Amino acid sequence: MTAQTACEECDHLIDKAVADDGEAVHCPRCHHHISVVHRSPVLAPIAYASAAIMMLIASLMYSFMSFASAGHSATMNFAQTVRSLITYGYNELALLLFVTLVVFPLSFLLIICYLHSAMLLNKKPPGAKACLLMLQHSKHWLMVDVFLIGILVSLVKVMGMADVTFGLSFWAFCLFTILLVKTTIVTDLPWLWRQLVSPMDDVEVTDKERSAYANNFQLCHYCGHLNGLDVATCPRCHHHTHARKDPNLDRVLAFLLASMVLYIPANILPIMDTSLLGGSDPATIMGGVILLWQLKSYPVAMVIFIASVMVPLAKMVAIAWLAYSVKSSRNFEPQKQLKLYRLTEFVGRWSMIDVFVVAILAALIRIDGLIVIYPGPATVSFAGVVILTMISAMSFDPRLIWDDSHSKENHRS
């Protein structure tokens, strides 16, 4: 019997590593997407990525929004959002915004254009392996869509106190977000590995119904190549191999504990301070939710409460539960555990909405002598909670859920 790859979420052996054009390959056991290839796998990514780059440039050149109140006005653009954070001494948050909203998305799109353009010209691009690894690492940190929702939440908060006008950059950013999401959908990394590096070879397995590990193979998480358990470096992508990411869960629990520690000041300290006519009105996350509820902005209050309070807490509980289920000797249903893991990974970055809302309001509402909004100390703590829980979830290996008790003992030894 032969196989080409294994599922990265349940370690089930897969016959076919890469889909044909216009088709998809899924894991028959957990239904994870192994490879989904667009009908036009070369031209479609180039078209969407090129359009997204143009919209990104346009969104950086003009104003996002204009704010007018009591005869005073202010204008916000992306550069001003970053500068306002630096002005208030929040250099880390300014760097976070710049990296997740400009550096990573732009690098992601340029690499896609570079690789697919080379294929269009029937050339092998230099540095293809490094580029593919960069795509693999950066895709988790693209927060453009989260920032767009943050803008919309900010609008609801501002519209009650002033007139808001949308600038060209706002509409360009909306198109940029849509095009970036579409680019990620039509780009298939396993297909790129096959086209630019090498196709997958069939490997002989003794029992196809058992996992790759049970057949003495380990999956490379970056290129999908099956390697023997004694192989330390993947020969296809030259990345370090491991049977499981963190078999003892030390890294998972360390980042989880750190996020729990930061969660306390994130909710106790003020996340935003509003200076109105010389008076100061600091607000915590829950204080902002209560204020929005009192103003009858029920949908926005619910969004902030769910994204900023419930999601981080639920994610920490979920990661702790997954770690417990792996460590304990009790038998849990792996399908349900995997669904919990997927949900935990998906919702994690959306908690960054509150951080983006504070950054946007601090840049937009700056009318000296009338009203100024300052970021609060909880902003840094809250951003730390989001990042640490994301890293903790990424460090968790869902294949541990499916391991039988004998495999668990082998991994932990």
Side-chain angles (χ1 to χ4, degrees), residues 294-368:
Q294 291 173 344
L295 294 174
K296 298 184 178 181
S297 298
Y298 303 125
V300 180
M302 289 301 297
V303 168
I304 294 297
F305 178 74
I306 293 172
S308 301
V309 179
M310 293 303 299
V311 167
L313 183 61
K315 187 172 183 179
M316 287 185 284
V317 172
I319 295 172
W321 171 255
L322 288 171
Y324 168 75
S325 69
V326 169
K327 286 283 190 178
S328 69
S329 58
R330 297 177 60 186
N331 293 323
F332 298 97
E333 293 187 38
Q335 290 86 355
K336 292 183 179 179
Q337 297 294 94
L338 186 59
K339 288 180 181 178
L340 178 62
Y341 164 76
R342 288 172 178 171
L343 181 63
T344 302
E345 261 218 322
F346 174 76
V347 301
R349 65 196 187 96
W350 288 96
S351 300
M352 198 65 77
I353 287 178
D354 225 2
V355 175
F356 290 152
V357 167
V358 172
I360 293 164
L361 293 177
L364 179 61
I365 304 179
R366 290 178 55 86
I367 302 176
D368 293 335

Side-chain angles (χ1 to χ4, degrees), residues 11 13 203-207 210-219 226-231 243-244 406-407 410-411:
D11 210 32
L13 290 165
V203 297
E204 293 290 334
V205 296
T206 56
D207 187 354
R210 302 186 70 190
S211 67
Y213 183 85
N215 281 274
N216 295 316
F217 286 101
Q218 56 181 334
L219 175 73
L226 280 178
N227 302 291
L229 292 178
D230 58 342
V231 176
R244 297 294 181 262
H406 177 70
S407 296
N410 287 339
H411 297 329

Side-chain angles (χ1 to χ4, degrees), residues 173-188:
F173 193 84
C174 291
L175 290 174
F176 165 58
T177 302
I178 296 172
L179 291 166
L180 177 61
V181 172
K182 187 63 178 178
T183 303
T184 59
I185 293 174
V186 301
T187 302
D188 187 65

Side-chain angles (χ1 to χ4, degrees), residues 28-75:
R29 180 160 70 170
C30 71
H31 309 295
H32 174 64
H33 288 192
I34 305 299
S35 175
V36 182
V37 180
H38 192 268
R39 292 185 181 276
S40 180
V42 177
L43 291 177
I46 294 175
Y48 286 117
S50 300
I53 291 172
M54 289 188 287
M55 289 300 102
L56 173 60
I57 295 172
S59 67
L60 298 175
M61 292 178 62
Y62 306 102
S63 64
F64 259 87
M65 293 180 287
S66 297
F67 167 89
S69 177
H72 297 82
S73 63
T75 302

Side-chain angles (χ1 to χ4, degrees), residues 57 255 299 391:
I57 295 172
F255 283 111
I391 297 175

